[in-house]
Amino acid sequence: MRRVNFSYKDFEEMIEKYNPFGFKKEDGTIEMYVDYGVAYFDCMKKIYEQFPKGLVDLILFLHQATTLPIRDAEREFKRMIPFVGDCELIAVDFITPTRESLVREMRPIMKALHTITETKFNESYFLQAVDKFLVWHILKKAHE
């Protein structure tokens, strides 16, 4: 069997295209997303599932979503301060979310998470993900 050679640039491109936040599954394998819209939607669901009352601990979220040790998650958070401010607790209205509130509250979080892999935020994929999340949230609440 012929061995394939990958360069650092190949892995960088793969992360940028398929996993902009460096998320891992519960079993430790790397998440792969079709596009940023799916990544944003999955991220919003993960945040909601971990913090359903809407008080998001971004350091704890980073630790659990990426399996970074807490110390490394704290260091990553410091790089995110320009987007989310210097308090690791971020309020998101998951009780009565609207498109406007989710855009306002989740946009800084998504932009901040891009600092992990130094990838670029995509506004149109983000807005699609917000709309998809709202439908998902309504359906989830209807089944509770």
Side-chain angles (χ1 to χ4, degrees):
M1 176 184 268
R2 186 167 170 243
R3 203 165 183 200
V4 178
N5 291 322
F6 289 103
S7 69
Y8 175 76
K9 179 123 175 79
D10 294 330
F11 287 108
E12 187 178 86
E13 185 179 317
M14 196 165 56
I15 287 170
E16 182 175 355
K17 188 170 183 177
Y18 299 111
N19 190 342
F21 305 140
F23 286 172
K24 291 186 179 176
K25 297 177 187 175
E26 286 183 20
D27 66 3
T29 59
I30 295 172
E31 292 275 9
M32 298 296 276
Y33 300 104
V34 179
D35 58 41
Y36 279 16
V38 177
Y40 294 146
F41 174 66
D42 185 57
C43 181
M44 288 182 215
K45 282 188 352 184
K46 286 178 189 299
I47 290 171
Y48 173 77
E49 288 166 353
Q50 191 171 348
F51 307 101
K53 301 284 188 216
L55 192 56
V56 180
D57 183 326
L58 199 51
I59 292 172
L60 181 60
F61 178 72
L62 284 173
H63 165 67
Q64 292 181 333
T66 64
T67 69
L68 282 171
I70 287 289
R71 288 265 194 245
D72 292 339
E74 289 169 343
R75 269 192 287 279
E76 284 299 326
F77 173 75
K78 287 182 177 149
R79 295 176 53 216
M80 296 176 179
I81 288 173
F83 299 100
V84 295
D86 61 358
C87 181
E88 70 195 61
L89 298 175
I90 300 166
V92 177
D93 181 5
F94 286 139
I95 307 304
T96 56
T98 64
R99 186 174 201 266
E100 294 74 27
S101 68
L102 283 175
V103 167
R104 182 181 59 253
E105 295 159 358
M106 294 299 283
R107 184 186 283 131
I109 295 171
M110 296 301 149
K111 286 183 173 185
L113 290 171
H114 273 284
T115 65
I116 296 168
T117 59
E118 298 179 359
T119 51
K120 290 186 177 19
F121 174 76
N122 184 298
E123 182 74 17
S124 62
Y125 276 132
F126 170 69
L127 294 174
Q128 288 173 18
V130 166
D131 292 338
K132 188 175 178 180
F133 178 83
L134 279 169
V135 171
W136 175 84
H137 186 271
I138 290 166
L139 292 173
K140 183 167 182 60
K141 288 293 184 185
H143 284 72
E144 289 179 352

